[in-house]
């Protein structure tokens, strides 16, 4: 069954925001007396901020009573940085144009809050490019649970088996495959050769590398 719908993740795929999330998380954790390196941060990419906080607070033995304030602090810092210096990833507009020229419905499904989605779309000029926007912020479970992808497909009037998702994280890839959707991953360059990406239908170094031949192969 040929796909007719494309659903995009946001952070690290459409906008180069993972360094901003790392910067914000590192600063907030430092304020609580803890340190985090990039390798440790990368292990939780794709989780919601609340789940990220819960994981690291439990690991570091930080009082969970401080979790809500830390989550808001991280999110507010990232929104501010996106508005000031968020950068669109290469190939984003090109791939959306290509998919739309082939009649695809286009959606966005993210673990990030809708307040950040609005900031990203405004900063990058992507406002109006997606027919459906969904956040896992208030869902019972975030990625790697598939619900945010299933909800986005439902809003678009699409069958999950006719959707192709574009992701950059392991947790996002698992969510897409659990939803019974095809998945194209564009990992961080440092992780491109990792065997975990073999679970995806296609692995690319950049969205700009996606071509009509890739579309036909899917």
């Amino acid at each position: 069954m040929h796909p007719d719908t494309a659903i995009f993740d946001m952070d690290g795929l459409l906008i180069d925001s993972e360094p901003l999330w790392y910067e914000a998380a590192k600063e907030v954790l430092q304020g609580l007396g803890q340190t985090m390196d990039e390798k440790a941060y990368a292990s939780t990419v794709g989780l919601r901020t609340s789940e990220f906080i819960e994981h690291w607070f439990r690991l570091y033995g930080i009082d969970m009573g401080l979790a809500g304030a830390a989550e808001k602090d991280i999110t507010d810092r990232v929104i501010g940085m996106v508005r000031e210096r968020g950068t669109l990833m290469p190939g984003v507009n090109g791939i959306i144009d290509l998919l739309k020229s082939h009649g695809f419905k286009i959606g966005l499904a993210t673990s990030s809050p809708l307040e950040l989605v609005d900031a990203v779309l405004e900063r990058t000029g992507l406002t109006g490019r997606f027919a459906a926007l969904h956040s896992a912020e208030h869902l019972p479970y975030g990625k790697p649970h598939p619900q945010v992808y299933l909800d986005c497909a439902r809003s678009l009037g699409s069958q999950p088996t006719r959707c192709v998702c574009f992701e950059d994280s392991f947790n996002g890839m698992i969510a897409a495959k659990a939803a019974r959707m095809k998945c194209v991953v564009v990992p961080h360059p440092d992780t491109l050769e990792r065997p975990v990406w073999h679970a995806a239908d296609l692995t690319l170094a950049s969205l700009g590398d996606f071509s009509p031949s890739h579309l036909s192969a899917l």
Side-chain angles (χ1 to χ4, degrees), residues 98 204 207-216:
L98 172 63
L204 298 173
L207 285 175
D209 294 336
F210 192 81
S211 66
S213 62
H214 290 129
L215 187 59
S216 299

Side-chain angles (χ1 to χ4, degrees), residues 27-187:
E27 290 173 353
V28 170
L29 287 172
Q30 282 176 342
L32 295 168
Q34 300 295 334
T35 59
M36 170 184 286
D37 61 25
E38 287 191 71
K39 184 176 181 181
Y41 168 79
S43 68
T44 47
V45 167
L47 297 182
R48 294 180 293 189
T49 312
S50 59
E51 294 164 332
F52 172 92
I53 288 289
E54 181 178 1
H55 173 84
W56 291 110
F57 270 41
R58 294 196 185 283
L59 186 67
Y60 291 139
I62 303 172
D63 180 4
M64 290 300 296
L66 302 173
E71 178 185 351
K72 185 177 187 308
D73 193 0
I74 291 174
T75 302
D76 287 348
R77 287 170 185 255
V78 172
I79 290 172
M81 288 188 284
V82 162
R83 287 176 173 156
E84 290 176 3
R85 49 189 168 98
T87 303
L88 190 69
M89 297 293 274
V92 173
N93 280 304
I95 192 172
I96 293 175
D97 289 341
L98 172 63
L99 292 165
K100 286 192 173 185
S101 72
H102 284 77
F104 272 62
K105 294 173 278 187
I106 311 291
L108 185 150
T110 177
S111 295
S112 293
L114 287 174
E115 184 181 4
L116 178 57
V117 173
D118 291 341
V120 168
L121 298 184
E122 181 179 353
R123 172 70 183 181
T124 59
L126 292 174
T127 301
R129 298 283 269 161
F130 301 94
L133 302 171
H134 277 264
S135 165
E137 180 182 12
H138 299 302
L139 293 178
Y141 303 100
K143 298 175 186 179
H145 194 283
Q147 191 62 57
V148 69
Y149 274 124
L150 294 171
D151 288 351
C152 191
R154 187 178 301 112
S155 291
L156 292 166
S158 301
Q159 293 296 319
T161 52
R162 299 196 69 177
C163 295
V164 55
C165 298
F166 292 84
E167 271 286 352
D168 70 303
S169 74
F170 177 76
N171 286 316
M173 177 185 71
I174 296 302
K177 298 306 290 185
R180 296 180 298 127
M181 300 177 180
K182 293 184 181 298
C183 185
V184 177
V185 291
V186 185

